[in-house]
Amino acid sequence: MQTEQAREVPVVAGLGSWLPPRVVRNEELAQRLDTSDEWIRTRTGIAERRIAGDGIATIRMAIEAGSRALRSASAQTVDALVLATSTPDQLCPASAPQVATGLGFNGIPAFDVNAVCSGFLYGLASGGGLISSGMAQRVLVIGADTFSTLINPDDRTTMPIFGDGAGAVVLRAGRPDELGALGPIDLHSDGDQAGLLFVPAGGAQQRVDGVPMEAGDYFLAMKGAETFYLAYSRMAESARTVLDRAGWTVADVDRFVGHQANARILYTVAKQLGVPEEKVAVNVDRVGNTVAASIPLALADSARDGTLRTGDRVLLSAFGAGLTWGAAVLRWPDLRVC
Ligand code: COA
């Protein structure tokens, strides 16, 4: 039995990411929607995003990112797999078992976590919990979404925002004082506000009510301005909570890696917290909002461009439909991103 002193915690041991090849630039959207590159850049910070297709959907992207994370961790096996996604390849079953099989791990526990844009933090908490409970020594946590499939291509408000992609980490059992040790993690939800960002059709309610849906009901409906306000205020609140629990001050934070929904949201959160702009990781300009893949993709890009360095104190923060939100901290480990 584990004693209090010997309790193992999840430690980040590998990081990988993958994007579908098709790049859609703002100019391409402006050719068919009543918008412009200038409007999208100014209001969101986004210049381009990747869009899946040609047979590439969530499972394929998750396998690509997962295999890279395994390579990064030099890991041959894992004991469990958590897939954070709100766009599984089929409504039923979950996609995680097919991802596990695709990676050669048929038989391990594998399940989806759906917390939309906070999905990766919820996935880290779930995968980390398997380790700290002693159920697993090594867990692959993947964030992957093909959210473009839920977006009305003719909606100028939502179409420019979202992109597709996948990122993954390997968590291993380790000590709380090691670089890469994860936590604390702070998570929340508010179902009263589910109507701010939701897809009306395609779920059980429609069948139960027997009400025929309009074609547009299969796409995301979003109240942008209300979402914007709640996103930055909840992210800042949760970040303060987690810093407090970790015993860190805002000045201790070397890198703020927030969910990449909109560059303005990230800078507003940073301003509210007092984190200087140069510490804010931003890759939303190149990938858009990739939902559950957002945080691992931002970590991967920051590590690759050298702005995230071994030993850095990292603050993670996310907000998404549900509503869901949360924050986490870790000290960045010495690893090679794949
Ligand atoms: N191009 C040009 N005009 C656009 C546009 C586009 N792509 N999208 C919206 N507009 C228009 C609106 O129709 C509105 O026009 P109106 O004043 O004539 O009604 C005007 O721009 C202002 O709209 P508003 O919604 O107030 O703009 P905004 O500055 O709030 O920016 C969002 C809109 C969607 C970019 C912003 O609200 C946002 O990012 N919200 C959060 C969304 C989000 O992050 N969702 C995921 C959360 S995880």
Side-chain angles (χ1 to χ4, degrees), residues 34-36 39-40 43-44 117 156-158 160-162 197 222-228 231 259 261-262 264-265 289 319-321:
D34 182 15
T35 188
S36 64
W39 193 97
I40 300 169
R43 302 295 180 109
T44 69
C117 294
R156 71 173 181 173
T157 310
T158 52
I161 294 179
F162 294 94
L197 290 141
M222 180 179 81
K223 292 183 181 145
E226 291 98 317
T227 304
F228 192 101
H259 167 54
N262 179 323
R264 282 162 57 217
I265 294 177
N289 180 346
F319 175 90

PDB file of all heavy atoms in Angstrom, residues 34-36 39-40 43-44 117 156-158 160-162 197 222-228 231 259 261-262 264-265 289 319-321, ligand 1:
ATOM      1  N   ASP A  34     -18.843  37.278 -45.784  1.00  0.00           N
ATOM      2  CA  ASP A  34     -18.804  38.732 -45.647  1.00  0.00           C
ATOM      3  C   ASP A  34     -17.869  39.090 -44.489  1.00  0.00           C
ATOM      4  O   ASP A  34     -18.300  39.443 -43.389  1.00  0.00           O
ATOM      5  CB  ASP A  34     -20.235  39.237 -45.389  1.00  0.00           C
ATOM      6  CG  ASP A  34     -20.287  40.747 -45.295  1.00  0.00           C
ATOM      7  OD1 ASP A  34     -19.301  41.391 -45.703  1.00  0.00           O
ATOM      8  OD2 ASP A  34     -21.301  41.268 -44.801  1.00  0.00           O
ATOM      9  N   THR A  35     -16.565  38.912 -44.737  1.00  0.00           N
ATOM     10  CA  THR A  35     -15.559  39.205 -43.708  1.00  0.00           C
ATOM     11  C   THR A  35     -14.260  39.603 -44.393  1.00  0.00           C
ATOM     12  O   THR A  35     -14.193  39.666 -45.627  1.00  0.00           O
ATOM     13  CB  THR A  35     -15.354  37.997 -42.777  1.00  0.00           C
ATOM     14  OG1 THR A  35     -14.522  38.374 -41.694  1.00  0.00           O
ATOM     15  CG2 THR A  35     -14.716  36.799 -43.495  1.00  0.00           C
ATOM     16  N   SER A  36     -13.230  39.873 -43.600  1.00  0.00           N
ATOM     17  CA  SER A  36     -11.947  40.253 -44.192  1.00  0.00           C
ATOM     18  C   SER A  36     -10.818  39.727 -43.308  1.00  0.00           C
ATOM     19  O   SER A  36     -11.014  39.472 -42.110  1.00  0.00           O
ATOM     20  CB  SER A  36     -11.836  41.780 -44.276  1.00  0.00           C
ATOM     21  OG  SER A  36     -11.842  42.307 -42.958  1.00  0.00           O
ATOM     22  N   TRP A  39     -10.438  42.056 -40.349  1.00  0.00           N
ATOM     23  CA  TRP A  39     -11.423  41.906 -39.270  1.00  0.00           C
ATOM     24  C   TRP A  39     -11.059  40.697 -38.395  1.00  0.00           C
ATOM     25  O   TRP A  39     -11.029  40.781 -37.170  1.00  0.00           O
ATOM     26  CB  TRP A  39     -12.844  41.732 -39.830  1.00  0.00           C
ATOM     27  CG  TRP A  39     -13.916  41.898 -38.765  1.00  0.00           C
ATOM     28  CD1 TRP A  39     -14.619  43.022 -38.503  1.00  0.00           C
ATOM     29  CD2 TRP A  39     -14.352  40.914 -37.801  1.00  0.00           C
ATOM     30  NE1 TRP A  39     -15.474  42.819 -37.437  1.00  0.00           N
ATOM     31  CE2 TRP A  39     -15.334  41.535 -36.989  1.00  0.00           C
ATOM     32  CE3 TRP A  39     -14.009  39.594 -37.534  1.00  0.00           C
ATOM     33  CZ2 TRP A  39     -15.971  40.874 -35.943  1.00  0.00           C
ATOM     34  CZ3 TRP A  39     -14.650  38.941 -36.479  1.00  0.00           C
ATOM     35  CH2 TRP A  39     -15.611  39.578 -35.700  1.00  0.00           C
ATOM     36  N   ILE A  40     -10.762  39.590 -39.051  1.00  0.00           N
ATOM     37  CA  ILE A  40     -10.499  38.353 -38.284  1.00  0.00           C
ATOM     38  C   ILE A  40      -9.232  38.512 -37.436  1.00  0.00           C
ATOM     39  O   ILE A  40      -9.210  38.169 -36.254  1.00  0.00           O
ATOM     40  CB  ILE A  40     -10.386  37.127 -39.226  1.00  0.00           C
ATOM     41  CG1 ILE A  40     -11.685  36.934 -40.008  1.00  0.00           C
ATOM     42  CG2 ILE A  40     -10.075  35.864 -38.423  1.00  0.00           C
ATOM     43  CD1 ILE A  40     -11.587  35.929 -41.156  1.00  0.00           C
ATOM     44  N   ARG A  43      -9.966  41.062 -34.449  1.00  0.00           N
ATOM     45  CA  ARG A  43     -10.885  40.615 -33.390  1.00  0.00           C
ATOM     46  C   ARG A  43     -10.483  39.302 -32.735  1.00  0.00           C
ATOM     47  O   ARG A  43     -10.941  39.003 -31.642  1.00  0.00           O
ATOM     48  CB  ARG A  43     -12.306  40.439 -33.957  1.00  0.00           C
ATOM     49  CG  ARG A  43     -12.897  41.670 -34.595  1.00  0.00           C
ATOM     50  CD  ARG A  43     -13.110  42.771 -33.562  1.00  0.00           C
ATOM     51  NE  ARG A  43     -13.675  43.947 -34.186  1.00  0.00           N
ATOM     52  CZ  ARG A  43     -14.917  44.368 -34.002  1.00  0.00           C
ATOM     53  NH1 ARG A  43     -15.719  43.727 -33.192  1.00  0.00           N
ATOM     54  NH2 ARG A  43     -15.354  45.443 -34.619  1.00  0.00           N
ATOM     55  N   THR A  44      -9.668  38.485 -33.445  1.00  0.00           N
ATOM     56  CA  THR A  44      -9.359  37.161 -32.883  1.00  0.00           C
ATOM     57  C   THR A  44      -7.861  36.859 -32.817  1.00  0.00           C
ATOM     58  O   THR A  44      -7.452  35.968 -32.076  1.00  0.00           O
ATOM     59  CB  THR A  44      -9.997  36.029 -33.727  1.00  0.00           C
ATOM     60  OG1 THR A  44      -9.328  35.968 -34.994  1.00  0.00           O
ATOM     61  CG2 THR A  44     -11.482  36.257 -33.948  1.00  0.00           C
ATOM     62  N   CYS A 117     -13.592  22.768 -24.916  1.00  0.00           N
ATOM     63  CA  CYS A 117     -12.281  23.453 -24.960  1.00  0.00           C
ATOM     64  C   CYS A 117     -11.482  23.311 -23.670  1.00  0.00           C
ATOM     65  O   CYS A 117     -10.288  23.629 -23.650  1.00  0.00           O
ATOM     66  CB  CYS A 117     -12.460  24.922 -25.319  1.00  0.00           C
ATOM     67  SG  CYS A 117     -13.089  25.163 -26.988  1.00  0.00           S
ATOM     68  N   ARG A 156     -20.181  33.580 -40.677  1.00  0.00           N
ATOM     69  CA  ARG A 156     -18.944  34.367 -40.595  1.00  0.00           C
ATOM     70  C   ARG A 156     -18.478  34.565 -39.146  1.00  0.00           C
ATOM     71  O   ARG A 156     -17.327  34.942 -38.916  1.00  0.00           O
ATOM     72  CB  ARG A 156     -19.114  35.716 -41.276  1.00  0.00           C
ATOM     73  CG  ARG A 156     -20.010  36.675 -40.527  1.00  0.00           C
ATOM     74  CD  ARG A 156     -20.003  38.048 -41.143  1.00  0.00           C
ATOM     75  NE  ARG A 156     -20.846  38.961 -40.383  1.00  0.00           N
ATOM     76  CZ  ARG A 156     -20.927  40.246 -40.613  1.00  0.00           C
ATOM     77  NH1 ARG A 156     -20.240  40.773 -41.604  1.00  0.00           N
ATOM     78  NH2 ARG A 156     -21.709  41.009 -39.885  1.00  0.00           N
ATOM     79  N   THR A 157     -19.377  34.331 -38.180  1.00  0.00           N
ATOM     80  CA  THR A 157     -18.972  34.536 -36.779  1.00  0.00           C
ATOM     81  C   THR A 157     -18.169  33.358 -36.240  1.00  0.00           C
ATOM     82  O   THR A 157     -17.198  33.545 -35.512  1.00  0.00           O
ATOM     83  CB  THR A 157     -20.218  34.742 -35.889  1.00  0.00           C
ATOM     84  OG1 THR A 157     -21.035  35.727 -36.496  1.00  0.00           O
ATOM     85  CG2 THR A 157     -19.839  35.190 -34.501  1.00  0.00           C
ATOM     86  N   THR A 158     -18.575  32.128 -36.583  1.00  0.00           N
ATOM     87  CA  THR A 158     -17.883  30.965 -36.020  1.00  0.00           C
ATOM     88  C   THR A 158     -16.831  30.377 -36.973  1.00  0.00           C
ATOM     89  O   THR A 158     -15.821  29.838 -36.514  1.00  0.00           O
ATOM     90  CB  THR A 158     -18.889  29.846 -35.650  1.00  0.00           C
ATOM     91  OG1 THR A 158     -19.727  29.590 -36.789  1.00  0.00           O
ATOM     92  CG2 THR A 158     -19.735  30.241 -34.456  1.00  0.00           C
ATOM     93  N   PRO A 160     -14.438  31.543 -38.899  1.00  0.00           N
ATOM     94  CA  PRO A 160     -13.018  31.922 -38.832  1.00  0.00           C
ATOM     95  C   PRO A 160     -12.306  31.453 -37.560  1.00  0.00           C
ATOM     96  O   PRO A 160     -11.079  31.435 -37.510  1.00  0.00           O
ATOM     97  CB  PRO A 160     -13.065  33.471 -38.836  1.00  0.00           C
ATOM     98  CG  PRO A 160     -14.426  33.832 -39.314  1.00  0.00           C
ATOM     99  CD  PRO A 160     -15.330  32.716 -38.896  1.00  0.00           C
ATOM    100  N   ILE A 161     -13.076  31.102 -36.538  1.00  0.00           N
ATOM    101  CA  ILE A 161     -12.475  30.898 -35.214  1.00  0.00           C
ATOM    102  C   ILE A 161     -11.819  29.528 -35.048  1.00  0.00           C
ATOM    103  O   ILE A 161     -10.773  29.412 -34.425  1.00  0.00           O
ATOM    104  CB  ILE A 161     -13.559  31.090 -34.118  1.00  0.00           C
ATOM    105  CG1 ILE A 161     -14.035  32.552 -34.114  1.00  0.00           C
ATOM    106  CG2 ILE A 161     -13.036  30.708 -32.753  1.00  0.00           C
ATOM    107  CD1 ILE A 161     -15.112  32.837 -33.086  1.00  0.00           C
ATOM    108  N   PHE A 162     -12.485  28.486 -35.582  1.00  0.00           N
ATOM    109  CA  PHE A 162     -12.080  27.129 -35.214  1.00  0.00           C
ATOM    110  C   PHE A 162     -11.170  26.461 -36.249  1.00  0.00           C
ATOM    111  O   PHE A 162     -11.253  26.746 -37.439  1.00  0.00           O
ATOM    112  CB  PHE A 162     -13.323  26.255 -34.973  1.00  0.00           C
ATOM    113  CG  PHE A 162     -14.110  26.716 -33.775  1.00  0.00           C
ATOM    114  CD1 PHE A 162     -15.184  27.587 -33.919  1.00  0.00           C
ATOM    115  CD2 PHE A 162     -13.757  26.301 -32.500  1.00  0.00           C
ATOM    116  CE1 PHE A 162     -15.906  28.038 -32.811  1.00  0.00           C
ATOM    117  CE2 PHE A 162     -14.469  26.745 -31.386  1.00  0.00           C
ATOM    118  CZ  PHE A 162     -15.547  27.612 -31.547  1.00  0.00           C
ATOM    119  N   LEU A 197     -22.852  28.271 -25.909  1.00  0.00           N
ATOM    120  CA  LEU A 197     -22.127  27.597 -27.002  1.00  0.00           C
ATOM    121  C   LEU A 197     -22.659  26.184 -27.057  1.00  0.00           C
ATOM    122  O   LEU A 197     -22.365  25.389 -26.168  1.00  0.00           O
ATOM    123  CB  LEU A 197     -20.645  27.468 -26.660  1.00  0.00           C
ATOM    124  CG  LEU A 197     -19.719  28.641 -26.609  1.00  0.00           C
ATOM    125  CD1 LEU A 197     -18.758  28.471 -25.457  1.00  0.00           C
ATOM    126  CD2 LEU A 197     -18.923  28.720 -27.887  1.00  0.00           C
ATOM    127  N   MET A 222     -23.375  30.116 -31.140  1.00  0.00           N
ATOM    128  CA  MET A 222     -22.485  30.758 -30.154  1.00  0.00           C
ATOM    129  C   MET A 222     -22.890  32.205 -29.901  1.00  0.00           C
ATOM    130  O   MET A 222     -23.124  32.953 -30.840  1.00  0.00           O
ATOM    131  CB  MET A 222     -21.044  30.725 -30.686  1.00  0.00           C
ATOM    132  CG  MET A 222     -20.038  31.349 -29.748  1.00  0.00           C
ATOM    133  SD  MET A 222     -18.353  31.269 -30.399  1.00  0.00           S
ATOM    134  CE  MET A 222     -18.348  32.659 -31.525  1.00  0.00           C
ATOM    135  N   LYS A 223     -22.966  32.550 -28.625  1.00  0.00           N
ATOM    136  CA  LYS A 223     -23.142  33.961 -28.266  1.00  0.00           C
ATOM    137  C   LYS A 223     -21.760  34.510 -27.941  1.00  0.00           C
ATOM    138  O   LYS A 223     -21.242  34.326 -26.829  1.00  0.00           O
ATOM    139  CB  LYS A 223     -24.085  34.077 -27.066  1.00  0.00           C
ATOM    140  CG  LYS A 223     -25.514  33.660 -27.414  1.00  0.00           C
ATOM    141  CD  LYS A 223     -26.467  33.850 -26.257  1.00  0.00           C
ATOM    142  CE  LYS A 223     -27.868  33.403 -26.658  1.00  0.00           C
ATOM    143  NZ  LYS A 223     -28.612  32.780 -25.571  1.00  0.00           N
ATOM    144  N   GLY A 224     -21.155  35.131 -28.936  1.00  0.00           N
ATOM    145  CA  GLY A 224     -19.739  35.498 -28.862  1.00  0.00           C
ATOM    146  C   GLY A 224     -19.383  36.460 -27.741  1.00  0.00           C
ATOM    147  O   GLY A 224     -18.435  36.218 -26.988  1.00  0.00           O
ATOM    148  N   ALA A 225     -20.131  37.538 -27.621  1.00  0.00           N
ATOM    149  CA  ALA A 225     -19.746  38.576 -26.659  1.00  0.00           C
ATOM    150  C   ALA A 225     -19.850  38.063 -25.216  1.00  0.00           C
ATOM    151  O   ALA A 225     -18.939  38.275 -24.401  1.00  0.00           O
ATOM    152  CB  ALA A 225     -20.608  39.818 -26.857  1.00  0.00           C
ATOM    153  N   GLU A 226     -20.974  37.364 -24.897  1.00  0.00           N
ATOM    154  CA  GLU A 226     -21.132  36.815 -23.529  1.00  0.00           C
ATOM    155  C   GLU A 226     -20.040  35.788 -23.242  1.00  0.00           C
ATOM    156  O   GLU A 226     -19.485  35.726 -22.139  1.00  0.00           O
ATOM    157  CB  GLU A 226     -22.496  36.133 -23.353  1.00  0.00           C
ATOM    158  CG  GLU A 226     -23.678  37.078 -23.349  1.00  0.00           C
ATOM    159  CD  GLU A 226     -24.358  37.144 -24.702  1.00  0.00           C
ATOM    160  OE1 GLU A 226     -23.653  37.202 -25.732  1.00  0.00           O
ATOM    161  OE2 GLU A 226     -25.595  37.148 -24.736  1.00  0.00           O
ATOM    162  N   THR A 227     -19.744  34.970 -24.254  1.00  0.00           N
ATOM    163  CA  THR A 227     -18.705  33.955 -24.090  1.00  0.00           C
ATOM    164  C   THR A 227     -17.365  34.615 -23.801  1.00  0.00           C
ATOM    165  O   THR A 227     -16.614  34.171 -22.919  1.00  0.00           O
ATOM    166  CB  THR A 227     -18.585  33.099 -25.374  1.00  0.00           C
ATOM    167  OG1 THR A 227     -19.862  32.552 -25.660  1.00  0.00           O
ATOM    168  CG2 THR A 227     -17.578  31.989 -25.214  1.00  0.00           C
ATOM    169  N   PHE A 228     -17.089  35.683 -24.518  1.00  0.00           N
ATOM    170  CA  PHE A 228     -15.819  36.395 -24.363  1.00  0.00           C
ATOM    171  C   PHE A 228     -15.640  36.842 -22.908  1.00  0.00           C
ATOM    172  O   PHE A 228     -14.614  36.575 -22.277  1.00  0.00           O
ATOM    173  CB  PHE A 228     -15.811  37.615 -25.299  1.00  0.00           C
ATOM    174  CG  PHE A 228     -14.477  38.270 -25.443  1.00  0.00           C
ATOM    175  CD1 PHE A 228     -13.694  38.038 -26.565  1.00  0.00           C
ATOM    176  CD2 PHE A 228     -13.982  39.123 -24.470  1.00  0.00           C
ATOM    177  CE1 PHE A 228     -12.454  38.642 -26.702  1.00  0.00           C
ATOM    178  CE2 PHE A 228     -12.746  39.733 -24.596  1.00  0.00           C
ATOM    179  CZ  PHE A 228     -11.978  39.487 -25.720  1.00  0.00           C
ATOM    180  N   ALA A 231     -15.279  33.864 -20.541  1.00  0.00           N
ATOM    181  CA  ALA A 231     -14.006  33.159 -20.777  1.00  0.00           C
ATOM    182  C   ALA A 231     -12.886  33.831 -19.985  1.00  0.00           C
ATOM    183  O   ALA A 231     -12.181  33.169 -19.206  1.00  0.00           O
ATOM    184  CB  ALA A 231     -13.675  33.137 -22.265  1.00  0.00           C
ATOM    185  N   HIS A 259      -5.778  28.293 -23.135  1.00  0.00           N
ATOM    186  CA  HIS A 259      -6.559  27.799 -24.276  1.00  0.00           C
ATOM    187  C   HIS A 259      -6.591  28.870 -25.361  1.00  0.00           C
ATOM    188  O   HIS A 259      -6.924  30.029 -25.108  1.00  0.00           O
ATOM    189  CB  HIS A 259      -7.981  27.457 -23.810  1.00  0.00           C
ATOM    190  CG  HIS A 259      -8.922  27.247 -24.957  1.00  0.00           C
ATOM    191  ND1 HIS A 259      -8.653  26.357 -25.965  1.00  0.00           N
ATOM    192  CD2 HIS A 259     -10.105  27.835 -25.259  1.00  0.00           C
ATOM    193  CE1 HIS A 259      -9.649  26.396 -26.844  1.00  0.00           C
ATOM    194  NE2 HIS A 259     -10.528  27.279 -26.446  1.00  0.00           N
ATOM    195  N   ALA A 261      -8.340  30.401 -27.766  1.00  0.00           N
ATOM    196  CA  ALA A 261      -9.638  30.689 -28.399  1.00  0.00           C
ATOM    197  C   ALA A 261      -9.538  31.963 -29.205  1.00  0.00           C
ATOM    198  O   ALA A 261     -10.129  32.073 -30.294  1.00  0.00           O
ATOM    199  CB  ALA A 261     -10.713  30.826 -27.339  1.00  0.00           C
ATOM    200  N   ASN A 262      -8.803  32.927 -28.672  1.00  0.00           N
ATOM    201  CA  ASN A 262      -8.791  34.266 -29.236  1.00  0.00           C
ATOM    202  C   ASN A 262      -7.633  34.985 -28.538  1.00  0.00           C
ATOM    203  O   ASN A 262      -7.546  34.967 -27.301  1.00  0.00           O
ATOM    204  CB  ASN A 262     -10.147  34.912 -28.889  1.00  0.00           C
ATOM    205  CG  ASN A 262     -10.277  36.331 -29.383  1.00  0.00           C
ATOM    206  OD1 ASN A 262      -9.313  37.092 -29.375  1.00  0.00           O
ATOM    207  ND2 ASN A 262     -11.473  36.696 -29.803  1.00  0.00           N
ATOM    208  N   ARG A 264      -7.160  38.011 -28.010  1.00  0.00           N
ATOM    209  CA  ARG A 264      -7.629  39.078 -27.097  1.00  0.00           C
ATOM    210  C   ARG A 264      -8.026  38.500 -25.747  1.00  0.00           C
ATOM    211  O   ARG A 264      -7.810  39.125 -24.711  1.00  0.00           O
ATOM    212  CB  ARG A 264      -8.811  39.818 -27.723  1.00  0.00           C
ATOM    213  CG  ARG A 264      -8.393  40.818 -28.798  1.00  0.00           C
ATOM    214  CD  ARG A 264      -9.569  41.210 -29.680  1.00  0.00           C
ATOM    215  NE  ARG A 264     -10.683  41.755 -28.935  1.00  0.00           N
ATOM    216  CZ  ARG A 264     -11.975  41.536 -29.213  1.00  0.00           C
ATOM    217  NH1 ARG A 264     -12.317  40.750 -30.212  1.00  0.00           N
ATOM    218  NH2 ARG A 264     -12.922  42.079 -28.506  1.00  0.00           N
ATOM    219  N   ILE A 265      -8.627  37.311 -25.746  1.00  0.00           N
ATOM    220  CA  ILE A 265      -8.997  36.676 -24.471  1.00  0.00           C
ATOM    221  C   ILE A 265      -7.718  36.381 -23.677  1.00  0.00           C
ATOM    222  O   ILE A 265      -7.623  36.673 -22.477  1.00  0.00           O
ATOM    223  CB  ILE A 265      -9.811  35.381 -24.683  1.00  0.00           C
ATOM    224  CG1 ILE A 265     -11.174  35.701 -25.320  1.00  0.00           C
ATOM    225  CG2 ILE A 265     -10.000  34.614 -23.363  1.00  0.00           C
ATOM    226  CD1 ILE A 265     -12.047  34.489 -25.634  1.00  0.00           C
ATOM    227  N   ASN A 289      -8.805  28.114 -32.968  1.00  0.00           N
ATOM    228  CA  ASN A 289      -9.231  27.416 -31.750  1.00  0.00           C
ATOM    229  C   ASN A 289      -9.381  25.930 -32.067  1.00  0.00           C
ATOM    230  O   ASN A 289     -10.313  25.529 -32.766  1.00  0.00           O
ATOM    231  CB  ASN A 289     -10.563  28.011 -31.274  1.00  0.00           C
ATOM    232  CG  ASN A 289     -11.094  27.347 -30.011  1.00  0.00           C
ATOM    233  OD1 ASN A 289     -10.628  26.281 -29.608  1.00  0.00           O
ATOM    234  ND2 ASN A 289     -12.081  27.970 -29.393  1.00  0.00           N
ATOM    235  N   PHE A 319     -11.011  27.322 -20.956  1.00  0.00           N
ATOM    236  CA  PHE A 319     -12.428  27.654 -20.818  1.00  0.00           C
ATOM    237  C   PHE A 319     -13.139  27.078 -22.036  1.00  0.00           C
ATOM    238  O   PHE A 319     -12.623  27.158 -23.150  1.00  0.00           O
ATOM    239  CB  PHE A 319     -12.604  29.178 -20.798  1.00  0.00           C
ATOM    240  CG  PHE A 319     -14.041  29.616 -20.779  1.00  0.00           C
ATOM    241  CD1 PHE A 319     -14.702  29.801 -19.571  1.00  0.00           C
ATOM    242  CD2 PHE A 319     -14.743  29.818 -21.967  1.00  0.00           C
ATOM    243  CE1 PHE A 319     -16.040  30.192 -19.545  1.00  0.00           C
ATOM    244  CE2 PHE A 319     -16.077  30.206 -21.945  1.00  0.00           C
ATOM    245  CZ  PHE A 319     -16.721  30.398 -20.735  1.00  0.00           C
ATOM    246  N   GLY A 320     -14.338  26.523 -21.822  1.00  0.00           N
ATOM    247  CA  GLY A 320     -15.042  25.985 -22.975  1.00  0.00           C
ATOM    248  C   GLY A 320     -16.525  25.819 -22.754  1.00  0.00           C
ATOM    249  O   GLY A 320     -17.061  26.134 -21.678  1.00  0.00           O
ATOM    250  N   ALA A 321     -17.175  25.318 -23.806  1.00  0.00           N
ATOM    251  CA  ALA A 321     -18.616  25.077 -23.757  1.00  0.00           C
ATOM    252  C   ALA A 321     -18.931  24.121 -22.618  1.00  0.00           C
ATOM    253  O   ALA A 321     -18.100  23.328 -22.188  1.00  0.00           O
ATOM    254  CB  ALA A 321     -19.077  24.500 -25.091  1.00  0.00           C
TER     255      ALA A 321
HETATM  256  N1  COA B   1     -16.342  39.470 -40.131  1.00  0.00           N
HETATM  257  C1  COA B   1     -16.911  40.682 -40.123  1.00  0.00           C
HETATM  258  N2  COA B   1     -17.842  41.048 -39.219  1.00  0.00           N
HETATM  259  C2  COA B   1     -18.178  40.150 -38.296  1.00  0.00           C
HETATM  260  C3  COA B   1     -17.621  38.865 -38.245  1.00  0.00           C
HETATM  261  C4  COA B   1     -16.669  38.547 -39.226  1.00  0.00           C
HETATM  262  N3  COA B   1     -16.044  37.336 -39.265  1.00  0.00           N
HETATM  263  N4  COA B   1     -18.151  38.187 -37.214  1.00  0.00           N
HETATM  264  C5  COA B   1     -19.017  39.014 -36.615  1.00  0.00           C
HETATM  265  N5  COA B   1     -19.036  40.191 -37.286  1.00  0.00           N
HETATM  266  C6  COA B   1     -19.825  41.396 -37.003  1.00  0.00           C
HETATM  267  C7  COA B   1     -21.066  41.102 -36.199  1.00  0.00           C
HETATM  268  O1  COA B   1     -22.093  40.642 -37.044  1.00  0.00           O
HETATM  269  C8  COA B   1     -21.345  42.453 -35.601  1.00  0.00           C
HETATM  270  O2  COA B   1     -21.991  43.226 -36.556  1.00  0.00           O
HETATM  271  P1  COA B   1     -23.198  44.226 -36.122  1.00  0.00           P
HETATM  272  O3  COA B   1     -22.552  45.197 -35.153  1.00  0.00           O
HETATM  273  O4  COA B   1     -23.587  44.826 -37.411  1.00  0.00           O
HETATM  274  O5  COA B   1     -24.217  43.340 -35.478  1.00  0.00           O
HETATM  275  C9  COA B   1     -19.952  43.052 -35.382  1.00  0.00           C
HETATM  276  O6  COA B   1     -19.071  42.276 -36.195  1.00  0.00           O
HETATM  277  C10 COA B   1     -19.489  43.019 -33.966  1.00  0.00           C
HETATM  278  O7  COA B   1     -19.780  41.728 -33.454  1.00  0.00           O
HETATM  279  P2  COA B   1     -19.331  41.310 -32.028  1.00  0.00           P
HETATM  280  O8  COA B   1     -19.830  39.922 -31.765  1.00  0.00           O
HETATM  281  O9  COA B   1     -19.659  42.380 -31.050  1.00  0.00           O
HETATM  282  O10 COA B   1     -17.761  41.294 -32.248  1.00  0.00           O
HETATM  283  P3  COA B   1     -16.669  40.947 -31.199  1.00  0.00           P
HETATM  284  O11 COA B   1     -15.644  41.998 -31.173  1.00  0.00           O
HETATM  285  O12 COA B   1     -17.277  40.506 -29.915  1.00  0.00           O
HETATM  286  O13 COA B   1     -15.981  39.685 -31.855  1.00  0.00           O
HETATM  287  C11 COA B   1     -15.990  37.311 -31.636  1.00  0.00           C
HETATM  288  C12 COA B   1     -16.724  38.526 -32.145  1.00  0.00           C
HETATM  289  C13 COA B   1     -16.802  36.069 -31.949  1.00  0.00           C
HETATM  290  C14 COA B   1     -14.638  37.239 -32.353  1.00  0.00           C
HETATM  291  C15 COA B   1     -15.764  37.495 -30.111  1.00  0.00           C
HETATM  292  O14 COA B   1     -16.987  37.798 -29.495  1.00  0.00           O
HETATM  293  C16 COA B   1     -15.222  36.277 -29.483  1.00  0.00           C
HETATM  294  O15 COA B   1     -14.106  35.864 -29.765  1.00  0.00           O
HETATM  295  N6  COA B   1     -15.971  35.648 -28.543  1.00  0.00           N
HETATM  296  C17 COA B   1     -15.536  34.470 -27.880  1.00  0.00           C
HETATM  297  C18 COA B   1     -15.758  33.301 -28.796  1.00  0.00           C
HETATM  298  C19 COA B   1     -14.996  32.112 -28.326  1.00  0.00           C
HETATM  299  O16 COA B   1     -13.861  32.230 -27.947  1.00  0.00           O
HETATM  300  N7  COA B   1     -15.609  30.935 -28.390  1.00  0.00           N
HETATM  301  C20 COA B   1     -15.005  29.726 -27.983  1.00  0.00           C
HETATM  302  C21 COA B   1     -14.856  29.716 -26.517  1.00  0.00           C
HETATM  303  S1  COA B   1     -13.940  28.327 -26.007  1.00  0.00           S
END
